[in-house]
Each structure stands twice: as structure tokens, then as C-alpha cells.
Amino acid sequence: MKINQIIRRKALLAGAIATALALPFAAFAQSPMVVKFSHVVAENTPKGQAALKFKELAEKKLPGKVNVQVFPSSQLFGDAKELEAVLLGDVQFIAPSLSKFDRYTKKIQVFDLPFLFDDIEAVDRFQAGKDGQALLTSMTNRGLRGLAYWHNGMKQMSTGKDKLARPEDVSGLKFRIQASDVLEAQFRALNANPQKMAFSEVYQALQTGVVDGQENTWSNIYSQKFFEVQKTIAETNHGVIDYMVVTNAKWWDGLPADVKKGLSEAMAEATTYGNKLADDINADARKKIVDAGKAKIQKLSKDDVAAWRKAMAPVWKKFEGEIGADLIGAAQKANK
Ligand code: LMR
């Protein structure tokens, strides 16, 4: 074989190999980008519903370009791992409760101050204002980009005891709390013993008596069946559980423009959808708990509420330095 024939053959072979190798990559480039959304609650909750809506809208706006996979109920990542997972790129969207960010920004602790917001409408006004919006980008230097606030609702307190009307009724009891120093201080102010614990572990902890009580929204108390293992739920409305949808800032900034636009629009529309549903889902969950007749619902008098407020008031002073008096003032102004 002449030397130029050998060269031509080699070139042909190299071309064939290159084509064979390139094929799967070409096929890969055309397949949709997999985008994972992980959260810790059930699907029949405000967050569960909003996440499913986001998937539906994103896939409709970006046909063939994205495949959004939603993992509810801590199936993919639980409380302890989800923030790290976003930073590592193992999941693209999560929506932790606002109580779970205090390692990333102290200012966000404002949402946990007891009796700060009168209702979810006040929370909404604060989030939509200048200060609330600024918090969405306050963790960019830590690699997290906030995209939206999603509502759940006001927190109620529950225990395995018959009496739960006044602060003294929780003295000495063990409470599961989310990973938040403000919530820890809140229960200490009530002379109770708070224990930080992942959401997925709460039912069992209540059932086995590892803790006596917890605080959560009606939708979480219902969907996690806490009402089956608690005797009394007091309608305290003493705080809020709301969420920030966050993503990896670097990943988000690097998205192709059309994908970012489609995902942003889907997020905005899913936010409106979920936030409108939240009140109804909580009211429905409350009704189902009443109908089940397992836990007693304790209504509070004005005097009872005043006593809870007074007992928890020291928490504000304790965190004023970290949060900032201005931010607390702005949040207070959101009450009508
Ligand atoms: C909790 O841990 O109690 C809640 O933050 C769970 C949730 O995401 O609503």
C-alpha cells in the first residue's frame, strides 16, 4: 500500500470514529435539560401544588427543552441536605421555609419573630415591598439566588396534652422546631425545651414522645397526620411558615436566555397560582382536622393571645441587632 493510500485510509477511519462519537452527543444536546425540584412537604399542600404548577408551566413554555422533575416529601433531599445539594448542583430548585436560611443571612430571621405579622396578607405586602425583594438577592454572595416567595400560612401550636391555652401550659414541654435560632429562643422564652429536627422526622417524634409538641400550619399538621398524634391544637397564629424558592446563582446566570426567560415566567405564574391557593388549602386542612375529631382545637381569647405575646416578646430584643431595627420596622408597617 502506498503511503498516501495509508494516510487516506487513516483519515477515513478517523472521520468514521469522530462521527460515531459525535452522534450520542448530538442526540444528548437535543434531549431536554433535566431540572430537579426537591421539597419536603406532601403534594396536597400549597408548596406541593405550586411546585407541580411550575413543572406544568415550564414544560409548556419550553417544549422539548426542559424536563422538570418534582420530588416531594423529602424523597430526594431532606432539610439537612437540600441547601448544600443546590450549591453542589445536585438539584436546581428547592423552596425551604424562611426559617431555614439563617446560616446564609441573618436578616431573613425577621420572618420568625413571634407575632410580627397579623396575617398572611401582611406577610405578602412585606415580601412584595422593597425590603422583602432585597432579601431575595441577599444570599447571592453565598451562591444562592432567591426567585420567589411562596406562601403557606400562619403557625398553630400543638401538644400531646389536654390543656393548651396559656403560655404556662407549655412550660417544661419538649417542642420540635425548625432549624432556626429565633424559634429556639421563642420556646426558651416560654420555659419549654426546643429541639431542632428535620421535618420528615416530626411525626415519629410526636408519636413516640421524643417531643411533646410542635408548631406548624394547618396544611402541614393535616398532611403529615400530626393531628393524629397530638391531643390539642391551639389556634395561636403566632408566626408564619412561608418559603423562598432558591436556585444556584451560577447555574441560573449561565442558562441560555430563552430557557431562563421560560423558567422565570413559569415561576412567576406558579407563584401567583400557589399563593392564591394557600389560604384555601389551609382552611380545608383545618376543617378536615375538625371533622376527624381526633385532636381538640383550642380557640384563644384576646386575653390568652395577649399572654402569649407578652411571654414571647423578649425574642424581638434578642435578635434586633442581627436583623436590624429598620427591617423589623418595615415588616411591622406591612400590618394594616
Ligand atoms: C417544617 O419544617 O416544619 C416546615 O418548614 C416544612 C415545610 O416546608 O413546610
Side-chain angles (χ1 to χ4, degrees), residues 40-41 47 79 97 100 176 178 199 216 220 241 243:
V40 301
V41 292
K47 180 162 58 179
D79 280 332
S97 131
K100 294 173 185 169
R176 177 270 171 169
Q178 303 176 77
F199 186 58
N216 231 304
N220 280 344
I241 289 192
Y243 310 108

Side-chain angles (χ1 to χ4, degrees), residues 301-316:
S301 69
K302 270 197 175 154
D303 189 55
D304 295 334
V305 175
W308 287 100
R309 271 185 186 269
K310 191 167 168 229
M312 294 179 179
V315 178
W316 284 42

Side-chain angles (χ1 to χ4, degrees), residues 34 49 53 71 111 135 188 199 220 242 257 265 325:
V34 173
Q49 291 296 301
K53 192 56 152 184
F71 299 90
F111 288 101
L135 285 175
R188 293 232 182 273
F199 186 58
N220 280 344
D242 250 32
E265 285 173 8

Side-chain angles (χ1 to χ4, degrees), residues 139-281:
M139 295 177 280
T140 309
N141 61 346
R142 306 291 305 270
L144 295 171
R145 173 75 46 84
L147 297 175
Y149 288 107
W150 283 2
H151 294 330
N152 188 338
M154 303 307 282
K155 284 186 290 192
Q156 321 302 334
M157 204 179 283
S158 71
T159 68
K161 310 284 173 196
D162 291 321
K163 218 162 151 267
L164 182 58
R166 309 278 295 189
E168 47 275 26
D169 298 334
V170 302
S171 179
L173 297 187
K174 286 177 271 167
F175 276 86
R176 177 270 171 169
I177 54 163
Q178 303 176 77
S180 151
D181 290 349
V182 177
L183 300 181
E184 185 166 37
Q186 172 192 285
F187 280 101
R188 293 232 182 273
L190 296 169
N191 297 315
N193 299 316
Q195 281 187 32
K196 291 180 180 174
M197 188 184 289
F199 186 58
S200 59
E201 290 165 23
V202 184
Y203 177 85
Q204 212 187 349
L206 292 171
Q207 191 189 34
T208 55
V210 168
V211 290
D212 303 293
Q214 62 86 46
E215 51 168 15
N216 231 304
T217 59
W218 290 113
S219 59
N220 280 344
I221 295 172
Y222 175 69
S223 58
Q224 298 298 316
K225 300 192 168 46
F226 296 162
F227 70 99
E228 292 184 357
V229 287
Q230 294 279 265
K231 277 202 178 144
T232 313
I233 306 169
E235 231 162 359
T236 47
N237 290 304
H238 62 284
V240 63
I241 289 192
D242 250 32
Y243 310 108
M244 190 188 285
V245 185
V246 289
T247 187
N248 181 311
K250 227 178 177 174
W251 174 79
W252 184 253
D253 290 341
L255 283 175
D258 60 333
V259 174
K260 195 197 263 190
K261 181 167 177 281
L263 292 178
S264 300
E265 285 173 8
M267 184 59 67
E269 288 170 36
T271 300
T272 308
Y273 171 86
N275 286 355
K276 268 201 192 126
L277 272 187
D279 270 355
D280 286 350
I281 292 179

